[in-house]
């Protein structure tokens, strides 16, 4: 089995085996949230935009979206989905060289969990420079509940759209890391392959400290793109923060 760079081969089947059909619901939550802003939200920076699923939903709701991602293969699929009118760039956080000032920034599907704690702090600061005063930063993170769930369910195997896969995870609860191997054992097309991914379970205290240091005020932490409060069963928490006026 070939070992390849993260998201290089997975990009081709990502929408089929990794992502559930949630982006329409998430975009509706964001639209409701931003519609209450008297200054209006028109421009959105999509961090870790992947194959463009959320960006497409936001564009359909009238937003101007700029997407960035570390994976060229994912961006190629996003370009096919979104067409030439959506600006897409390859960038690896915390390096953020996109131009312009935005009303809001988003990072979905645990994109910030790929950052080390130091990278998370640097990313929060870099994004703040690209947001207008009182601009929005909305992102989701895996929780301690997800860490416990992953420890208890370290191997997940299945088949989706003709692709057989095995996802194996090893969690170091002291280091708060998760090393995951995603194997396509029976791809619908092409040869089998495996990719290695590392994520970090950030503590709430670290997230709040990173936001505060970068000049944000946290306005809500809820159950996955809802207004429901988080609890011990929450696997994905959605954080909403706003850049403090200068």
């Amino acid at each position: 089995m070939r070992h390849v760079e993260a998201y290089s081969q997975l990009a081709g089947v990502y929408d089929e085996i990794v992502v559930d059909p949630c982006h329409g619901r998430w975009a509706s939550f964001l639209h409701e949230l931003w519609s209450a802003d008297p200054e209006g939200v028109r421009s959105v920076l999509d961090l870790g935009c992947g194959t463009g699923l959320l960006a497409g939903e936001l564009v359909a709701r009238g937003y101007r979206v700029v997407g960035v991602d570390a994976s060229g293969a994912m961006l190629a699929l996003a370009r096919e989905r979104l067409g030439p009118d959506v600006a897409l760039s390859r960038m690896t956080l915390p390096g953020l060289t996109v131009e312009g000032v935005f009303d809001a920034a988003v990072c979905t599907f645990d994109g910030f969990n790929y950052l080390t704690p130091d990278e998370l702090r640097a990313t929060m600061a870099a994004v703040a420079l690209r947001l207008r005063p009182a601009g929005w930063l909305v992102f989701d993170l895996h929780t301690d509940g997800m860490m416990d769930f992953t420890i208890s369910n370290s191997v997940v195997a299945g088949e989706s759209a003709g692709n057989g896969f095995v996802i194996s995870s090893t969690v170091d609860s002291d280091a708060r890391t998760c090393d995951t191997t995603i194997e396509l054992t029976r791809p619908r097309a092409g040869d089998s392959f495996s990719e290695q991914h590392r994520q970090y379970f950030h503590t709430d205290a670290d997230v709040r400290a990173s936001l505060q240091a970068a000049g944000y005020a946290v306005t809500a932490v809820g159950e996955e793109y809802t207004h429901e409060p988080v609890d011990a069963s929450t696997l994905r928490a959605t954080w909403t923060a706003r850049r403090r006026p200068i």
Side-chain angles (χ1 to χ4, degrees):
M1 181 175 291
R2 293 179 301 136
H3 297 276
V4 297
E5 180 184 356
Y7 289 112
S8 58
Q9 296 297 308
L10 185 63
V13 295
Y14 181 83
D15 295 350
E16 299 170 356
I17 72 167
V18 177
V19 179
D20 58 20
C22 59
H23 289 87
R25 184 174 70 254
W26 292 4
S28 293
F29 170 85
L30 294 170
H31 182 63
E32 176 192 359
L33 189 71
W34 295 335
S35 293
D37 185 345
E39 294 188 46
V41 174
R42 292 165 292 276
S43 57
V44 181
L45 177 61
D46 188 356
L47 304 161
C49 65
T51 62
L53 288 167
L54 180 70
E57 294 286 350
L58 292 175
V59 168
R61 288 164 173 78
Y63 296 96
R64 178 178 66 84
V65 180
V66 171
V68 301
D69 199 278
S71 168
M74 299 284 268
L75 286 171
L77 292 169
R79 172 60 63 220
E80 292 180 11
R81 170 172 280 120
L82 301 171
D85 295 332
V86 176
L88 299 171
S89 299
R90 188 174 185 180
M91 298 179 192
T92 301
L93 298 174
L96 188 61
T97 57
V98 65
E99 296 182 354
V101 175
F102 298 84
D103 298 312
V106 296
C107 185
T108 57
F109 250 105
D110 51 275
F112 281 168
N113 284 110
Y114 279 88
L115 303 175
T116 68
D118 285 345
E119 289 169 342
L120 181 67
R121 285 189 286 273
T123 295
M124 296 299 191
V127 175
L129 296 176
R130 302 268 62 86
L131 287 177
R132 64 162 167 83
W136 301 77
L137 174 59
V138 185
F139 58 95
D140 62 64
L141 289 172
H142 284 163
T143 64
D144 283 8
M146 178 64 88
M147 180 164 62
D148 294 339
F149 178 85
T150 305
I151 291 171
S152 300
N153 300 270
S154 59
V155 179
V156 177
E159 183 172 328
S160 179
N163 301 290
F165 62 89
V166 178
I167 302 175
S168 307
S169 299
T170 301
V171 174
D172 183 332
S173 55
D174 293 327
R176 300 184 67 86
T177 59
C178 180
D179 290 303
T180 299
T181 301
I182 302 177
E183 299 176 285
L184 260 290
T185 55
R186 298 186 308 281
R188 186 183 66 251
D191 299 326
S192 61
F193 64 87
S194 70
E195 293 186 0
Q196 301 283 339
H197 297 251
R198 166 164 280 201
Q199 291 189 313
Y200 298 82
F201 291 101
H202 301 295
T203 67
D204 283 5
D206 279 350
V207 178
R208 289 183 182 276
S210 296
L211 288 166
Q212 182 175 11
Y216 298 92
V218 176
T219 61
V221 183
E223 180 79 28
E224 184 178 307
Y225 297 96
T226 71
H227 298 291
E228 296 297 321
V230 296
D231 59 28
S233 68
T234 299
L235 302 182
R236 175 180 282 125
T238 300
W239 292 70
T240 303
R242 302 191 69 175
R243 185 186 170 200
R244 294 192 188 95
I246 298 174

